[in-house]
Amino acid sequence: ELGASDAYDFFTIELPRFGWRSVTTVRSRTNILIYTRDNRAATLEITGQKLGASTVFFSVSPLNSGKDGDILTPSDGIQVIPLMK
C-alpha cells in the first residue's frame, strides 16, 4: 500500500518513463494529475485514506477533437468541455 504522497511521487516519476507528458498536476487533499501521450489523455485522481493507504482513479481517453473535427495532438493541449452549464 502506498500513501497518497507516495502514490503521487510514483506516478510523476514513472509515467514520463513510458512516454507520458505532464499537462498539469495539483497536489492537495485530492491530487489530480493529467498527462498526454500520442492522441490520448490520462487523468489520475489520488486521495489519501485511513491507515496511510490511498485510492487511485486512473482513466485514459482519446483527446477531444478540435472544432474542425481534427484530432488534437498532445502539443495542442487538452480541450476541457463542461458536462453541465
Side-chain angles (χ1 to χ4, degrees), residues 35-58:
Y35 284 79
T36 59
R37 183 177 117 181
D38 301 324
N39 287 325
R40 294 174 289 162
T43 303
L44 291 90
E45 179 180 312
I46 305 167
T47 306
Q49 301 297 316
K50 293 181 180 179
L51 303 175
S54 62
T55 300
V56 178
F57 292 100
F58 191 111

Side-chain angles (χ1 to χ4, degrees), residues 9-79:
D9 293 341
F10 173 81
F11 285 111
T12 58
I13 292 168
E14 294 300 323
L15 285 174
R17 291 181 182 178
F18 290 92
W20 290 93
R21 184 179 62 85
S22 177
V23 174
T24 189
T25 61
V26 176
R27 193 166 199 157
S28 183
R29 177 178 280 176
T30 299
N31 303 288
I32 304 293
L33 297 92
I34 300 175
Y35 284 79
T36 59
R37 183 177 117 181
D38 301 324
N39 287 325
R40 294 174 289 162
T43 303
L44 291 90
E45 179 180 312
I46 305 167
T47 306
Q49 301 297 316
K50 293 181 180 179
L51 303 175
S54 62
T55 300
V56 178
F57 292 100
F58 191 111
S59 64
V60 177
S61 62
L63 289 174
N64 292 323
S65 63
K67 290 181 182 177
D68 58 2
D70 293 335
I71 297 296
L72 297 174
T73 65
S75 62
D76 294 325
I78 295 176
Q79 180 182 11

